[in-house]
Amino acid sequence: MEERIVELEVRVAYQDRIIAELDEVLRSFTSQVQELQRELGELRELIKSDQPEIGPADDAPPHY
């Protein structure tokens, strides 16, 4: 019986360590995703502000 308890304690300790490592990885990825979302928003705004006004599609090109 004591052997089984020791085995269960070892398993729980291992699982606790793995959960802590996974939590650290998840927090890191969450931070990276938030940063990328912020950068993407900035790029979208930059693209919107730099686009020239487009005229009607049936206007003749300037070289005609």
Side-chain angles (χ1 to χ4, degrees):
M1 179 70 144
E2 185 177 329
E3 201 175 301
R4 291 184 67 195
I5 292 173
V6 170
E7 182 183 334
L8 290 173
E9 288 175 339
V10 169
R11 283 185 182 184
V12 168
Y14 176 76
Q15 289 175 352
D16 284 346
R17 183 174 58 88
I18 294 296
I19 289 170
E21 290 174 6
L22 290 173
D23 182 60
E24 185 178 328
V25 169
L26 181 60
R27 288 177 189 267
S28 174
F29 282 148
T30 299
S31 176
Q32 290 175 7
V33 167
Q34 289 172 341
E35 177 65 19
L36 290 171
Q37 286 175 330
R38 185 189 62 76
E39 288 179 13
L40 180 60
E42 290 175 2
L43 288 172
R44 284 181 175 160
E45 290 301 317
L46 183 64
I47 289 171
K48 283 181 186 176
S49 67
D50 285 347
Q51 285 198 343
E53 292 292 322
I54 298 175
D58 52 338
D59 278 357
H63 61 279
Y64 282 104

